[in-house]
Amino acid sequence: MSPASDVFEPYPQAEAVWSYLEQRFGMDPAAFADHRLWQRAAHKGVWLLHAAAEPATDIKVDWPGLAVLRQPLPRGFPTNAFLRRFGFAATRSCVDVDWDTALRLMYNHQIERDPLDDRGGPYAIRSPFGTLGRGWVRHGRLVLDTPKAWANQLLPRTELAETE
Amino acid sequence: METLRRYAPIVDDVEAFLTAASTPLPRVVWANRVRIGDDAMADLMGRRCPQAEPLAYLDGTWRVPADGPRPGKWPEFTLGLIHTQEEVSLWPVTVLDPRPGEAVLDLCAAPGNKTARMAVAMSDAGSVLANDRRWSRIQGIQDIVARMGLTSVMASHGDGGQLPGQARFDRVLVDAPCTGEGTTRKARGRSPELRNDYHKLQAVQKGLLRRAVELTRPGGVIVYSTCTYAPEENEAVLDGIYPEKAAIEPIELPAEVTVDAGVAEWQGERFRADTANAVRFWPHHNDTGGFFVARLRRL
């Protein structure tokens, strides 16, 4: 890989991303007025970085800010981390669940649910304590895209229940 | 703990120090204020750990007893609403005092806890460059940054002592690699090994601090910290900075927090006079781990 391909550059199709987020999730582009999108030449990922920051060119930056897309549009969809941070701004394609259901989803359980549209996702799954991440309805079941390790990292649900 | 007796000349109560250094450490939970408000945080702590107590002198921070629940296993941690860290490790960022919109460098960033604390202190508005020598440890920083949803942090990997570039940072944190003698409480009382290579680490630490000073704008702030007691890794490192390059400033701490001043002399070696402005955290003073923090102003 050449040094030039290591450098992050402003993402040329930023407007398309803001437009997608508005159409799919109803997120007002103004919510991202203080942010810019960046991409590394030879990579597919698109990153969200605060406008006051700019990836240095004399230092090899490994990653800037928060990953928004792992693949460019139209194939890509928002990352879990992005939706957890900005899911509050979504007004469409949201599935609001209670905390008990949220915990079940975090423990990789699937919940019976009709899809909101004929695409089956992605949806922003939200709980009373914030957005859980990205979800889908597949075969009539709502699933949360979680790292598989989550279930091991979290307390067993029985033990968790004792603290509530 | 007997190896720590070498610090008897600079600690006020060596027996209390050795006893405290081998007892389990309370955990501290702090709120990711970018994503959770104070009321919601108080509600969360009330549900999860009623015996936790808020720390009045550190914003949004709660102390969980050593035998209490493990916050790192809570769903709120997984969702990035909270983070857990040792209490004394919060002081370097508090002393650095990063402000929104500033350019900040964390020269030895892994595992990334202080980096995240900095970004949250800046309301996630500004620029935080997290550098570490090992690429594998950069991945751990990304895990924390992604979990907490921070957009102001960038990462690079390289030798901090040779990081390229001009003086462009408003604040720089050098949480230097050290012998880690102050972390015995996290190691469940395991005694630190007797070391005789303090001077090898000192060379690395001096290189890091010198580069940090060079990368800071005139008038900017550099915080040098370690989690060890050895003056060879603390005051002696500060002594390696030319006084005309940077001055060591006094640190104002809340009255509830007891610290000792940096030592002026160790084993026959005298240090520059303003090393007395640095602070030493001893485990028996505040029921924390051990730490050393100094705040320098770039001239």
Side-chain angles (χ1 to χ4, degrees):
Chain A
M1 192 179 294
S2 69
S5 64
D6 281 343
V7 175
F8 281 90
E9 294 169 344
Y11 185 54
Q13 292 156 30
E15 288 306 319
V17 175
W18 306 140
S19 175
Y20 165 78
L21 292 172
E22 187 173 22
Q23 286 172 15
R24 179 70 200 168
F25 294 101
M27 292 179 179
D28 184 352
F32 308 103
D34 290 337
H35 294 84
R36 302 281 179 273
L37 293 175
W38 296 84
Q39 186 181 40
R40 189 148 54 184
H43 293 72
K44 294 177 180 174
V46 179
W47 300 78
L48 184 75
L49 186 63
H50 192 269
E54 188 168 313
T57 51
D58 52 355
I59 298 172
K60 188 190 168 196
V61 172
D62 285 271
W63 44 264
L66 197 62
V68 182
L69 304 169
R70 295 287 179 203
Q71 292 190 67
L73 296 169
R75 192 175 168 80
F77 36 78
T79 61
N80 255 320
F82 171 80
L83 282 179
R84 274 202 295 275
R85 168 72 195 272
F86 292 99
F88 71 89
T91 54
R92 279 197 291 275
S93 303
C94 302
V95 179
D96 290 299
V97 297
D98 59 33
W99 185 234
D100 187 62
T101 307
L103 285 176
R104 289 167 65 195
L105 289 166
M106 289 177 71
Y107 282 88
N108 291 338
H109 292 206
Q110 299 179 1
I111 310 294
E112 285 190 14
R113 176 107 191 187
D114 291 329
L116 300 179
D117 52 29
D118 56 2
R119 296 177 61 184
Y123 303 126
I125 305 187
R126 302 192 299 195
S127 78
F129 299 110
T131 306
L132 304 180
R134 185 184 61 218
W136 308 82
V137 175
R138 291 176 178 140
H139 309 295
R141 287 174 173 272
L142 177 66
V143 292
L144 176 68
D145 277 348
T146 60
K148 286 192 172 63
W150 267 23
N152 294 329
Q153 287 167 2
L154 291 164
L155 281 177
R157 284 199 70 203
T158 48
E159 196 176 330
L160 192 68
E162 290 170 11
T163 68
E164 294 186 86
Chain B
M1 292 302 136
E2 288 306 302
T3 54
L4 296 180
R5 276 195 190 277
R6 75 188 290 262
Y7 302 114
I10 57 172
V11 65
D12 55 357
D13 183 345
V14 70
E15 295 307 326
F17 162 54
L18 295 177
T19 304
S22 58
T23 55
L25 190 66
R27 296 181 176 91
V28 159
V29 175
W30 53 267
N32 176 5
R33 283 182 156 168
V34 175
R35 296 188 42 203
I36 187 171
D38 289 344
D39 291 343
M41 182 67 185
D43 177 54
L44 186 161
M45 294 307 296
R47 278 187 295 114
R48 289 272 176 248
C49 184
Q51 65 271 40
E53 52 186 40
L55 291 173
Y57 46 85
L58 286 166
D59 285 346
T61 304
W62 299 64
R63 181 187 281 170
V64 177
D67 57 352
R70 293 173 292 173
K73 293 276 186 181
W74 297 348
E76 293 85 353
F77 177 88
T78 306
L79 291 176
L81 304 179
I82 58 170
H83 195 63
T84 176
Q85 206 173 350
E86 183 189 355
E87 180 181 332
V88 76
S89 297
L90 304 176
W91 284 113
V93 175
T94 305
V95 171
L96 187 69
D97 192 22
R99 313 281 172 83
E102 288 186 331
V104 180
L105 168 65
D106 190 352
L107 200 58
C108 315
N113 299 319
K114 294 184 189 72
T115 305
R117 178 87 178 162
M118 278 192 255
V120 171
M122 295 162 66
S123 306
D124 200 27
S127 168
V128 180
L129 178 62
N131 179 76
D132 203 87
R133 194 167 65 85
R134 289 192 197 167
W135 182 82
S136 58
R137 301 193 79 198
I138 294 288
Q139 303 310 302
I141 302 174
Q142 188 177 21
D143 288 346
I144 293 176
V145 167
R147 183 173 58 76
M148 302 185 78
L150 302 172
T151 62
S152 58
V153 180
M154 295 174 281
S156 66
H157 75 279
D159 182 352
Q162 297 180 19
L163 199 69
Q166 306 289 318
R168 60 170 175 234
F169 294 99
D170 299 303
R171 293 168 202 264
V172 179
L173 174 64
V174 187
D175 187 42
C178 65
T179 47
E181 292 170 336
T183 63
T184 51
R185 300 186 68 182
K186 281 200 288 194
R188 302 182 183 212
R190 190 182 67 219
S191 181
E193 294 172 16
L194 184 62
R195 318 252 329 196
N196 58 6
D197 60 347
Y198 293 110
H199 292 86
K200 282 186 194 169
L201 272 169
Q202 189 190 94
V204 174
Q205 291 155 344
K206 280 184 175 174
L208 289 166
L209 183 56
R210 282 183 187 138
R211 190 65 193 131
V213 170
E214 288 166 0
L215 289 169
T216 308
R217 288 184 183 130
V221 173
I222 306 111
V223 167
Y224 177 79
S225 64
T226 68
C227 55
T228 197
Y229 309 110
E232 294 93 334
E233 299 180 66
N234 296 320
E235 287 87 347
V237 173
L238 297 176
D239 196 54
I241 298 297
Y242 291 118
E244 60 269 28
K245 291 268 188 185
I248 305 169
E249 293 186 329
I251 297 172
E252 286 187 19
L253 293 170
E256 307 95 297
V257 180
T258 305
V259 292
D260 278 354
V263 297
E265 185 179 359
W266 174 250
Q267 295 182 342
E269 188 181 358
R270 288 195 66 78
F271 307 120
R272 52 187 278 188
D274 56 2
T275 55
N277 289 332
V279 292
R280 293 179 153 269
F281 292 85
W282 297 99
H284 58 296
H285 285 164
N286 309 296
D287 193 16
T288 63
F291 232 79
F292 176 89
V293 182
R295 176 183 160 113
L296 297 88
R297 177 76 61 180
R298 177 78 157 98
L299 300 174

